[in-house]
Amino acid sequence: MEWVYLILAGLFEMAGVAMINKWHHDHKMTSLLMLGSSFVISFLFLAASMEGLPMGTAYAVWTGIGAAGGVLLGMIFYKESTDWKRLVFLAMILSAAIGLKLVT
């Protein structure tokens, strides 16, 4: 169950990152509330996952999901570069997170 919590924490981290960009563009209170809510929920799920996972593994995977997800969201919704070098480094982040799952 800890891995499910960790994945949910990462997804809410991605939502928080997306809300940072949204709030930067529209400065609406709803965007700010969604930003804060996403990060709070993310931290709660991260804490729940750390009940059974080592801190270093949980934090590294959570950060990786957030970073990789932020890059993917930027590419998909904000037309950021999809240069092959960015994709290679994105794959490295994802493979490191998967590797930590396999050895934990």
Side-chain angles (χ1 to χ4, degrees):
M1 198 64 187
E2 290 86 7
W3 283 100
V4 172
Y5 292 150
L6 187 56
I7 291 168
L8 287 170
L11 293 174
F12 278 101
E13 179 77 4
M14 287 172 51
V17 170
M19 289 298 105
I20 289 172
N21 194 41
K22 183 167 175 37
W23 183 76
H24 177 72
H25 290 288
D26 67 17
H27 295 309
K28 292 183 180 176
M29 185 58 81
T30 54
S31 297
L32 187 60
L33 290 172
M34 289 173 64
L35 184 159
S37 299
S38 295
F39 283 127
V40 166
I41 294 168
S42 177
F43 287 135
L44 291 173
F45 277 121
L46 177 63
S49 75
M50 290 171 66
E51 295 285 328
L53 294 174
M55 178 201 60
T57 300
Y59 183 73
V61 172
W62 175 71
T63 303
I65 293 170
V71 171
L72 286 172
L73 289 174
M75 288 176 176
I76 294 167
F77 295 109
Y78 301 107
K79 307 299 182 227
E80 293 180 2
S81 171
T82 56
D83 181 63
W84 70 271
K85 291 177 235 169
R86 289 187 82 196
L87 296 174
V88 167
F89 289 115
L90 181 61
M92 290 171 67
I93 292 170
L94 294 173
S95 63
I98 292 167
L100 284 171
K101 162 70 170 114
L102 294 175
V103 299
T104 300

